[in-house]
Amino acid sequence: MQYWLVKSEPDVYSFEQLATDGKTRWDGVRNYQARNNLRAMKTGDLCLYYHSNIGLEVVGIAKVVKEHYPDPTAEKGDWSAVDLAPVKPLAQPVTLSEIKKHPALQQLLLVRNARLSVMPVSFDEFSVIVQMGETQL
DNA sequence: GCCAACGTTGGC
DNA sequence: GCCAACGTTGGC
């Protein structure tokens, strides 16, 4: 079991929208590092769902329900998509500023590489953020 | 809206 | 293969 963090701009596709849809195709990734992370995802892996630009906070947990396949939105190039489904929202969102303040989260790629949109997180980091969101695993 | 950080492109 | 120029992302 691996843990991840995925970013989305909430005015484009929010966690609430994912909760409504029940499932979504995570496509449109055009960054090699992020793509390679998508390809490493396994069914059942859990993802922290982060709202970038608006909110700047982790708002929920999603899970991988379909492993990587060719991204149908890619007109050219070698890109991948996965399918994600909602697990649960955090009782209280965990903001970027809280994450930056937390001693156990200083290695988080979200902090160290702001531009990466799909990144692995350790189980410890995942647990800390979920606990900060006051939600049970 | 600005700008820093990063990735990509293209000239040499 | 280097590096400058450019485009994009994302925090502020």
Side-chain angles (χ1 to χ4, degrees):
Chain A
M1 165 83 77
Q2 281 270 109
Y3 299 89
W4 309 93
L5 182 147
V6 297
K7 284 187 192 175
S8 183
E9 300 183 24
D11 54 343
V12 176
Y13 195 86
S14 66
F15 187 77
E16 291 75 17
Q17 188 65 48
L18 176 61
T20 300
D21 292 348
K23 178 182 162 183
T24 195
R25 188 177 67 218
W26 207 257
D27 58 22
V29 170
R30 295 294 181 270
N31 169 283
Y32 291 111
Q33 203 178 342
R35 182 201 69 182
N36 291 342
N37 290 331
L38 283 182
R39 289 183 177 178
M41 286 180 175
K42 299 293 182 195
T43 299
D45 283 358
L46 295 177
C47 303
L48 297 169
Y49 198 105
Y50 176 79
H51 280 172
S52 67
N53 285 323
I54 300 168
L56 309 183
E57 56 198 7
V58 176
V59 294
I61 302 169
K63 68 181 174 192
V64 179
V65 292
K66 186 177 178 186
E67 291 176 18
H68 73 92
Y69 53 94
D71 183 346
T73 70
E75 293 180 0
K76 58 186 225 175
D78 181 22
W79 301 107
S80 295
V82 299
D83 287 353
L84 297 182
V87 174
K88 59 168 66 171
L90 295 183
Q92 184 176 333
V94 177
T95 66
L96 180 62
S97 65
E98 290 177 280
I99 288 171
K100 285 183 169 173
K101 281 186 216 152
H102 194 108
L105 300 175
Q106 296 308 300
Q107 297 307 306
L108 200 67
L109 284 167
L110 182 69
V111 176
R112 300 175 68 198
N113 181 0
R115 298 190 47 185
L116 188 61
S117 61
V118 180
M119 67 190 75
V121 303
S122 71
F123 174 71
D124 288 345
E125 291 165 337
F126 183 89
S127 302
V128 166
I129 291 173
V130 169
Q131 282 165 25
M132 289 165 79
E134 294 174 338
T135 253
Q136 301 297 310
L137 270 177

